[in-house]
Amino acid sequence: MQQTMVNQDQTGFWSGLSLWKKILIGMVLGIAAGVIMGPNAAILKPLGTLFINAIKMLIVPLVFCSLVVGVTSMQDTRKMGRIALKSVVLYLATTAVAISIGLGLATLFTPGEGLNMVAGDTAAAGKEAPTLIATLLNMIPTNPVGALAAGNILQIIVFALSLGIALTLCGDKAKPVMGLFESLAEAMYKLTEMVMKLAPYGVFGLMAWVAGTYGLEILLPLGKVITVVYVGCLVHVLVFYTGLISVLGRLNPVRYLKGLVNPAAVAFTTTSSSGTLPASMKAARQEMGASEGVSSFVLPLGATINMDGTALYQGVCALFIAQAFGIDLVFSDYILIIMTSTLASIGTAGVPGAGLIMLSLVLTSVGLPIEGLAIVAGIDRILDMARTTVNVCGDLMVTTLVAKSEKELDDSVYNRSETKPESDLATA
Ligand code: ASP
């Protein structure tokens, strides 16, 4: 008996580790491999692509099924309206704060000073942001199957909500379909757990590729802007989010930070908040204790409209570019930057590099040279890793607060001690 246990200890080192530790090891080994192998590390990228494809596979069915179940389990449409309103207000308000932090830090640390860039043709061709009305109208899918096939999350949310409400109103007659969705949602949660087991290997491949492609020396001239974005992101999560969690939610912020670890690692390495949805939905339910109803609605909505990290990055980059080109901005420019980024973040997909495209809109709105994009594009992936992580942490923060305020947060799950049985390993 004792012999068997010893054997298990020896052979089970890797399998005995909790998932977040494995992800962390994958990340560190990936960076080491990238630094050693240089551009050749690109051969490891397929490992990452495999993982990314596997999580992408989950997004549409997971969001759709769990949202329908979420609505039918809530039974109360007035409550849903309240949850939607609270989420949207929190999402937009925190985004405005994020961009202000970015602007503040970039003013303080002037990352672009001394670069002395000269703009060529600054007549930035007006690439228009979609209007708010167009964005809102576009949320209604004219063809729900098309929306599912295209993976248009906002449209899927609208259709799933409507279907859920209709099923609830049908009562007993709709029971078989509700049961079907419940089973499908369960199966999707199980599949998420299975796919998350691939995370350490995927993260290894992605980190090796990033470190190998960018190298360490290429980062030096742009080190200041990278530092300012990373510091801003840390301040936003560690000070602002934890502050809201303690003050508004009256919850222990350390538990919130612990619960973030897995989705944050996935966000950091995949740079896609939509792609991180399966991991964040799992964390919201199993780490934060948010109900299925709240998490299946608030999280997909956040992955689509809430981009605090992206907004913060845009604030920093807009000022960085203005400083690099020696352009002075006035107070109204700052207000314009805050407004355009906050609005542009609605309806922008949580996919890699989306923030860079949005940055071009912000630059255009205040007449900054679009050439500036080229400077930051080179390091976009590195900035994307930080901003996507903040985007996801913000989604989980709002989900936790909304769940708490709606009495949909299981305090015993949120506050439970760190030691968990290994059967819970996939969430640890
Ligand atoms: N990659 C980010 C996200 O998925 C969006 C961005 O590029 O800023 O949240």
Side-chain angles (χ1 to χ4, degrees), residues 75-401:
Q75 301 282 340
D76 176 353
T77 40
R78 284 238 312 278
K79 181 170 178 174
M80 275 179 43
R82 225 172 36 230
I83 291 177
L85 187 70
K86 281 183 192 169
S87 316
V88 172
V89 168
L90 273 173
Y91 279 147
L92 293 186
T94 52
T95 302
V97 171
I99 188 158
S100 309
I101 292 181
L103 290 173
L105 287 176
T107 308
L108 208 61
F109 295 106
T110 56
E113 211 177 52
L115 282 183
N116 300 325
M117 314 276 310
V118 183
D121 177 18
T122 52
K127 194 174 163 193
E128 286 291 313
T131 64
L132 196 58
I133 297 282
T135 308
L136 291 178
L137 285 180
N138 194 37
M139 281 168 59
I140 299 165
T142 48
N143 174 359
V145 178
L148 289 168
N152 183 326
I153 297 283
L154 273 188
Q155 293 189 345
I156 295 173
I157 290 178
V158 170
F159 182 59
L161 283 180
S162 321
L163 183 62
I165 293 172
L167 288 173
T168 311
L169 295 176
C170 286
D172 280 349
K173 275 193 188 155
K175 282 266 147 61
V177 179
M178 289 188 198
L180 175 73
F181 274 109
E182 269 163 32
S183 313
L184 273 174
E186 275 310 314
M188 294 315 299
Y189 296 141
K190 183 50 83 190
L191 200 50
T192 305
E193 240 161 63
M194 289 154 63
V195 167
M196 283 302 289
K197 295 205 166 124
L198 297 175
Y201 313 100
V203 164
F204 168 77
L206 289 171
M207 287 315 292
W209 165 64
V210 174
T213 313
Y214 290 100
L216 296 182
E217 66 283 358
I218 209 165
L219 306 180
L220 287 181
L222 292 162
K224 216 167 163 190
V225 75
I226 296 176
T227 312
V228 173
V229 169
Y230 272 72
V231 167
C233 286
L234 282 174
V235 168
H236 197 61
V237 176
L238 297 181
V239 179
F240 184 55
Y241 286 167
T242 54
L244 288 180
I245 287 280
S246 353
V247 176
L248 289 185
R250 307 213 163 279
L251 291 165
N252 178 355
V254 178
R255 269 299 310 160
Y256 160 75
L257 291 175
K258 278 187 181 150
L260 288 180
V261 175
N262 278 346
V266 176
F268 189 74
T269 47
T270 62
T271 66
S272 165
S273 39
S274 295
T276 309
L277 257 180
S280 31
M281 289 181 75
K282 193 162 167 329
R285 293 183 316 128
Q286 297 178 353
E287 299 287 330
M288 312 299 185
S291 71
E292 186 174 32
V294 169
S295 55
S296 64
F297 173 62
V298 183
L299 279 175
L301 184 68
T304 320
I305 71 166
N306 182 51
M307 308 249 164
D308 287 8
T310 305
L312 192 149
Y313 142 93
Q314 283 172 343
V316 174
C317 286
L319 285 204
F320 166 73
I321 290 167
Q323 290 157 2
F325 286 90
I327 298 168
D328 284 329
L329 294 179
V330 292
F331 184 69
S332 60
D333 290 328
Y334 284 70
I335 300 293
L336 202 57
I337 294 176
I338 295 179
M339 279 170 43
T340 12
S341 324
T342 308
L343 290 179
S345 69
I346 303 172
T348 298
V351 295
L356 189 69
I357 299 162
M358 279 161 62
L359 181 60
S360 72
L361 302 178
V362 176
L363 295 181
T364 315
S365 74
V366 283
L368 286 171
I370 290 289
E371 289 98 316
L373 274 191
I375 325 174
V376 279
I379 47 161
D380 192 60
R381 176 84 192 189
I382 290 154
L383 301 178
D384 205 356
M385 299 200 295
R387 64 185 193 244
T388 308
T389 308
V390 176
N391 293 347
V392 168
C393 297
D395 298 343
L396 279 161
M397 187 276 296
V398 170
T399 306
T400 308
L401 285 188

Side-chain angles (χ1 to χ4, degrees), residues 13-31 33 41 43-52 193-209 265-266 269-270 425:
F13 168 72
W14 182 247
S15 52
L17 285 179
S18 53
L19 187 62
W20 73 268
K21 287 183 189 147
K22 289 185 187 172
I23 294 179
L24 201 67
I25 292 175
M27 205 181 276
V28 172
L29 290 181
I31 295 176
I43 55 164
L44 295 171
K45 197 184 169 196
L47 272 180
T49 313
L50 174 82
F51 172 58
I52 290 182
E193 240 161 63
M194 289 154 63
V195 167
M196 283 302 289
K197 295 205 166 124
L198 297 175
Y201 313 100
V203 164
F204 168 77
L206 289 171
M207 287 315 292
W209 165 64
V266 176
T269 47
T270 62
L425 160 143

